[in-house]
Amino acid sequence: MDAKVRTDTLTIAGRSFGSRLMIGTSRYPNQQVMLDAVEASGAEIVTVAVRRVSLESGGEGLFDMLAGKYWLLPNTAGCFTARDAVLTAELAREALQTDWIKLEVIGDDETLFPDVEQLLRAADELVKKGFVVLPYCNDDPITCKKLEDLGCAAVMPLAAPIGSGMGIRNPYNLRIIRHQCSVPVIVDAGVGTASDAAIALELGCDGILLNSAVAGARDPVKMARAMRLAIEAGRLAFEAGRIPRKLYATASTPIEGAIEL
Amino acid sequence: MSQAMGETHVKQTITVNGKRQPWSGQSVRALLVDAGIAPERGGVAVALNGAVVPRGEWDSTAVRPDDKIEIVHIVRGG
C-alpha cells in the first residue's frame, strides 16, 4: 500500500502494532482453521486463556503453535472475583513470561457483563504488581476513566455482550470514552460482522478485540480477512475525517455550465 | 494411645488440580513429571496454596501434606 494512505500504528504501553485487530483462539471448527483465520486476520495480538492441565491427557500444545509468531495476550476469562483474576494473571505471567493481561472479572454467567467493583480492585492490584492491564469493561465512560486513572494501559469497553454479535449498541458512549480517555480504546466483545468493526474504528476507537464473529462464521478464514479490511477501512475513514451529516442535498456535480432549455 | 496410633496411620494427601493424591514429599518438578508434563515445556505455570511458584524454583520446592497445587497451561481463549 502507498505510504501516504497507510494507517498509523496502534501503540499500547510503548509497544507498537501494525494491526488494530486482536483476535481470540477459541471456538473455531478445528485447529487448522483457527491458525489460518488468525493468519488471515493480520492480527499481531492473539488472546489465550489459562486453565488447569488435564492430569490424564497432558493437554494441547497451543503455546508451541503460537509462541514467537504472535504477541500472546492471556486473559482471566471465567474469573468472578478480583482474587481469582489476580492469581490467574500471575499464573499467566509465569506461563508466558509476559506482563500483559486481558483482565476480565465477570459478574454474571448469563450476560458475562463485568463486575465493576471487582474489576477495579483487580486492576488496581495488578497495576501495582507491574502488569500491563487491558481491562474488559462496560461501555461506561466513568468506569473507563477510573480504569485509566488506576494505570491501565488501555480500556476495552464492550460493544454488546460477549459472543452476542449484536454490533455497536451504544456508539455515543464509545465516542465519549474516546474523548475522555487518553489510553487506547479497544472495543472488546459484541462485533458480529465486518461493518460493526468498521463503525467502531470510524468512531475513533483504536482497535477491536474479537473472537466469536470470526470463529463462528460459516467461513472463518474469509471473515478474518473481512475484519482485517474493515478495520483498515474504518481507521482510514476516521483519519480522513467524515463529512458532516446534513438533512438536505448538496449537489456533487457543479451546476455552472449546465444546459438551459 | 490407641487414638494417637490411629492418627499416624491416616494417609497424608495433597490436592492437585482439585484431585486428592498421596503425599510423598515430592518436589513441584516431580509432580509435573508424575502428571505427564515435561517440565521444560513452555506455557505451563504452577501455584502452591494460591501463590505462583516460579519455574526456577520447581526443583527446590517440596510440597507438604494438605498443600493445594494448581498446574495450569495456555489454552484457547477469547
Side-chain angles (χ1 to χ4, degrees), chain B residues 6-7 9 16 18-19 24 28 30-32 35 38 46 71-72 76 78:
Chain B
E7 274 172 19
H9 286 286
V16 181
K19 285 186 186 146
S24 61
V28 167
L31 262 181
L32 287 168
V46 178
I71 307 172
V72 300
R76 294 153 201 211

Side-chain angles (χ1 to χ4, degrees), chain A residues 24-26 31 47-53 55-56 58-60 62-63 75 87 90-91 94-96 102 104 209 211, chain B residues 16-19 21 35-37 41-47 50-55 70-78:
Chain A
T25 50
S26 195
Q31 187 169 281
T47 60
V48 294
V50 177
R51 288 288 179 270
R52 281 174 169 172
V53 173
L55 298 180
E56 286 77 37
E60 55 188 320
L62 188 68
F63 176 81
N75 67 30
L87 179 57
E90 288 178 323
L91 284 165
E94 176 64 20
L96 287 174
K102 180 197 167 187
E104 287 183 43
L209 196 162
N211 190 150
Chain B
V16 181
N17 286 2
K19 285 186 186 146
Q21 62 181 66
I37 302 151
R41 196 173 116 186
V44 175
V46 178
V52 173
V53 182
R55 186 172 279 263
E70 294 283 340
I71 307 172
V72 300
H73 66 155
I74 295 306
V75 298
R76 294 153 201 211

